[in-house]
Each structure stands twice: as structure tokens, then as C-alpha cells.
Amino acid sequence: MARVLLPVILIIMAATGECVWFNLPRSGTKCVSEEIHNNVVVVGDYVVVSDDHLHPTPTISSQVTSPYGNILHHMDTVTHGQFVFTSTESGQYLSCFWADRPGEGGALSVNIDWKTGIAAKEWESVARKEKIEGVELELRKLEGAVEAIHDNLLYLKRREAEMRGVSETTNSRVAWYSIYSLGICILASCAQLWYLTRFFQKKKLI
Amino acid sequence: MFHTILIIVFMSCLLISNVVGIRFVIDREECLSITVDYEGDTVYVSFVVIKAESPWHFTEDGVDLVIKGPSGDRVFDMHDKTSQKHDFIAHKKGLYHFCFTNKSPYHETIDFDVHVGHFAYHDQHAKDEHFKPLFDLIAKLEEALYNIQFEQHWLQAENDRQAVVNEKMGKRAVHKALIESAALIGASVLQVYLLQRLFERKLGLSRV
């Protein structure tokens, strides 16, 4: 009965959200990160499902950290949770999960549903607020998606320009430092010659 | 009235797409699962190894990916790739597993993206001939836009990988120059010292 129920529950829960399942080991932390720009709405949902169908369901703790180390969300001993925030810094956002009672046996599956930017927008409230429906709503969604793509492309362009800068710095560094190394080599050999000449002259060999 | 409701209901379930993009650190093996709700959906999957946490990595780091279907059958696999894009048609609905294996002894950060695209064929719903081509076209447009977003995510991950490589290269150039200079100076001092000792000994023997 339980074996039939679990896939059904999984399918039902998955049909209500776009999500990824991963296994959480009994001890240790599992972290999932994403690169997020500034000023982006992020909505995350996580649910725990135990493979052994234990009652009560094992609980996990979760923590979401910003790139500069601020803790944006922290929950202990829960089986499901949700976090919503608007990013104020651009960088890598980390969400970590760990099991509460390590060593109790059985692997856990955690379902995380992470929506950023345009995917996190609540279209139902927009439709209700602006009283649009049907084709207009779909086209509005597509317009949002196109704007998101455009912003992404601009961001990529900026990153590529930064990288080009780093590449060119590296190129000039390699060139200059090779010349410096060669210079040091020549200086060292000249110093050697001078020192040895002085030494042999002192010993009256030359 | 009923017609409008029908169209609204139809439009709201026109296209159901799953787009996911996450980064995680892999130690030895990591498995992720995705549900595919409808048969015949195209599943696009891409992954990029962002960085390998080794101080000086000499070998090409790569991971293996094995895609398994709901009944455990092997759909696709690829070995030792640092970046790959792949798409396949899901013939069965259910839970698809994507398992990564890391062969190198170091941890690697992987950016994984999966996108399930689905066309809704609602022949039995829209009775009005005016709307059906419009819905199909909008559905196609939406699918194309999600595809673009998927490609962009992969491109961004590739750029991040290149950024890491470039920064490492810059640091390596500086370290190499410093170590080389130190080695040259050390070698020349050693040479002078050895020659001095040699001649002093020889002179000492011959003069006495």
C-alpha cells in the first residue's frame, strides 16, 4: 500500500511545482547554490520525503545564505518550508540542508523548488489586479520572459567584457614577467662573473 | 460565458514547462530526480563543471552522467565530460534520474540545468476554429523562449568556468615568475659558492 502511495504522492506533489529531488545523506550537509543578480525575487520551496516511510517523517534544518554571508532564512526541525526574498547582492546564494538527528538510518529525499526572477512572478495576482485574461495574460508572460532574456544577455555581455580584461592583464603579465626573469638571469650571471674575477685576481690566478 | 470559461481554463494549462538550474558540489556521486508529467515530452539537460577544487590541477576534470528512466532503464550516458548539452524524448512518464559520478579525487562544482518542454495538444477542447492556431503559435513561442533561457543558462555556466580558469592563469603567471627568479638567484649563488670552495681547496693543496 505504502509502495503505491509514495509514487502517487511524489507525482501529485511534483505536478504542483517544477522541482528537483536529491538525496540527503543522514550525516553531513548538502548545499545547492545558484548565481543570482541584484534585485531579483527568489522563491524557494522544499519538502522532505523519507524513503523508509518512517512515522513521524524525519525533519531537516535549512539555511539560506547570501554571497556576503548574511543569513536570509533559517529553519530547524521542519519537514517542509518556504523562503522568499529579494536579492540585494549579486553573487552565489547558497541553500544548505542537513538532517536533524544524524545516525537514525534511512536516506532522505528532499524536493527543492527554486524559482528566480520571472518564474517567481505570481501571474494570478497580476491577472486579477490588471483584469486581463486569456491570450493577453499569456502574451504578458511571454513579454516578461523576453525581458528576462534581454537582461540576461546584457549581464553576460558585461561578464564577458570583465573576462576579456582579465585575459589581457594575464597576457601582459606573462610577457613582462618573462622579460623580468630574463633580466634577473642576466644580472645574476654578470654578478657571478664579477665576483669570480675578483676572487681569482685575489688568489693571483689571473 | 461557458465558452469564455473554457478558453480561460484552456489557456491556463496551455504549456507546462519545468525549468530548473542549480549548482552543487559533488564528492563521489550525486543523483538528482525530475518528474516528467507527460509522455512524449522533450527533456533538455545540460551540465557544466564550474571548478575543480584542486590547487594545481593538471588533468582535465570531467564527470560521468547516467540518465535512467522511471523503470530503471538506462536512457543515456556520457563519460568524462566537462560540459555537455543533451536532449531526449521521454517515452514514459515518471521519475527520471540523473546520476553524476566524479572520478577525480577532488570536489567539483557542477552547474546542472534541466528543462522539460511539453506541447499541449488540446484537439478536443477548443471548438472555435479562430483560437486554435493562435494557441498553437503562442505555445510554440513559449517553448522557444524557454529553450533560449535554457541555452543562456548553459552559456552563463560556461562563462563562469572560463572566468575561473582565467583567474587561475593570472595567479599562476605571477607565481611562476616569482619562483623562477628565486630559483635563478639561488642557482647562481650555489654556483659561486661551489666554485669558490673548489678553487680554495685546489689552491690550498698546490700552494702548500
Side-chain angles (χ1 to χ4, degrees):
Chain A
M1 174 60 184
R3 299 201 72 149
V4 171
L5 203 57
L6 179 65
V8 171
I9 294 173
L10 282 178
I11 290 173
I12 289 172
M13 284 201 292
T16 55
E18 307 123 7
C19 45
V20 156
W21 296 87
F22 63 90
N23 292 326
L24 192 64
R26 251 348 198 134
S27 57
T29 318
K30 208 73 161 302
C31 287
V32 163
S33 64
E34 197 165 332
E35 194 87 18
I36 302 177
H37 316 168
N38 196 9
N39 208 20
V40 164
V41 177
V42 180
V43 173
D45 256 298
Y46 54 93
V47 176
V48 182
V49 168
S50 162
D51 284 350
D52 295 349
H53 321 297
L54 295 168
H55 283 298
T57 324
T59 56
I60 57 164
S61 306
S62 75
Q63 179 166 302
V64 178
T65 357
S66 80
Y68 293 133
N70 306 325
I71 296 180
L72 296 161
H73 166 88
H74 183 87
M75 289 256 262
D76 287 314
T77 60
V78 284
T79 50
H80 62 274
Q82 198 196 42
F83 52 87
V84 181
F85 61 90
T86 309
S87 62
T88 46
E89 302 134 6
S90 164
Q92 188 152 317
Y93 284 76
L94 205 62
S95 77
C96 292
F97 304 92
W98 60 95
D100 275 332
R101 289 182 294 272
E104 255 194 19
L108 290 178
S109 297
V110 179
N111 175 15
I112 177 146
D113 177 9
W114 199 326
K115 293 193 262 235
T116 55
I118 191 69
K121 202 157 177 185
E122 300 246 333
W123 289 110
E124 291 87 22
S125 59
V126 170
R128 250 179 295 126
K129 197 172 65 152
E130 306 198 11
K131 294 197 221 345
I132 54 177
E133 58 191 24
V135 176
E136 199 179 339
L137 181 62
E138 290 299 315
L139 289 177
R140 204 53 93 76
K141 282 191 204 172
L142 292 181
E143 189 191 3
V146 166
E147 270 176 30
I149 289 174
H150 188 218
D151 286 337
N152 231 348
L153 264 179
L154 291 176
Y155 172 72
L156 279 175
K157 224 168 55 155
R158 241 183 314 129
R159 286 291 300 267
E160 198 257 335
E162 272 174 30
M163 249 205 330
R164 241 182 308 129
V166 170
S167 285
E168 289 183 9
T169 319
T170 308
N171 188 25
S172 69
R173 269 191 198 165
V174 165
W176 279 113
Y177 287 8
S178 308
I179 293 176
Y180 292 159
S181 282
L182 195 62
I184 286 182
C185 179
I186 292 174
L187 273 174
S189 57
C190 289
Q192 267 187 324
L193 263 175
W194 172 79
Y195 186 78
L196 285 171
T197 324
R198 233 186 45 161
F199 172 71
F200 288 142
Q201 274 172 347
K202 251 204 301 187
K203 301 288 178 184
K204 309 231 180 359
L205 282 173
I206 296 181
Chain B
M1 174 65 187
F2 174 71
H3 194 59
T4 323
I5 292 174
L6 192 67
I7 290 174
I8 292 171
V9 165
F10 172 59
M11 287 302 305
S12 58
C13 54
L14 187 64
L15 187 68
I16 302 160
S17 281
N18 292 344
V19 183
V20 149
I22 59 168
R23 278 189 199 182
F24 57 92
V25 176
I26 183 171
D27 188 8
R28 285 270 135 248
E29 184 155 352
E30 186 76 46
C31 280
L32 300 161
S33 316
I34 280 277
T35 32
V36 176
D37 297 318
Y38 300 92
E39 283 179 17
D41 282 353
T42 317
V43 180
Y44 300 88
V45 61
S46 78
F47 71 91
V48 178
V49 178
I50 301 286
K51 68 171 181 240
E53 292 175 33
S54 62
W56 293 80
H57 76 262
F58 297 116
T59 55
E60 247 321 276
D61 46 357
V63 291
D64 295 351
L65 168 64
V66 176
I67 305 177
K68 291 207 264 261
S71 40
D73 53 321
R74 194 191 56 87
V75 170
F76 188 73
D77 61 21
M78 48 191 114
H79 298 280
D80 289 321
K81 291 273 196 292
T82 49
S83 145
Q84 184 78 358
K85 266 196 301 172
H86 179 66
D87 54 81
F88 62 93
I89 298 181
H91 295 292
K92 288 186 278 227
K93 69 179 188 190
L95 212 63
Y96 278 77
H97 306 277
F98 302 87
C99 285
F100 289 94
T101 320
N102 180 18
K103 298 254 180 66
S104 80
Y106 308 105
H107 287 234
E108 293 183 8
T109 314
I110 298 182
D111 183 297
F112 173 73
D113 195 6
V114 65
H115 162 48
V116 182
H118 166 67
F119 274 118
Y121 297 111
H122 295 267
D123 296 283
Q124 65 272 32
H125 282 273
K127 306 276 194 272
D128 194 342
E129 280 309 310
H130 291 304
F131 286 107
K132 187 167 179 314
L134 187 62
F135 290 161
D136 279 347
L137 284 175
I138 290 182
K140 282 200 192 137
L141 191 57
E142 204 162 347
E143 174 73 16
L145 283 179
Y146 280 128
N147 257 346
I148 292 177
Q149 280 184 324
F150 174 76
E151 294 266 350
Q152 266 195 332
H153 184 100
W154 176 75
L155 202 60
Q156 193 169 339
E158 285 270 15
N159 267 358
D160 283 340
R161 182 188 159 82
Q162 282 308 306
V164 169
V165 169
N166 272 357
E167 278 168 27
K168 272 198 195 162
M169 214 163 45
K171 276 202 221 126
R172 270 190 200 175
V174 176
H175 290 162
K176 176 226 178 215
L178 287 172
I179 291 175
E180 204 178 18
S181 308
L184 277 171
I185 293 176
S188 55
V189 166
L190 185 67
Q191 270 183 324
V192 166
Y193 169 70
L194 285 175
L195 279 170
Q196 224 177 357
R197 239 184 52 153
L198 172 73
F199 276 101
E200 270 176 358
R201 229 176 332 141
K202 277 258 170 101
L203 287 171
L205 284 173
S206 65
R207 287 285 165 82
V208 169

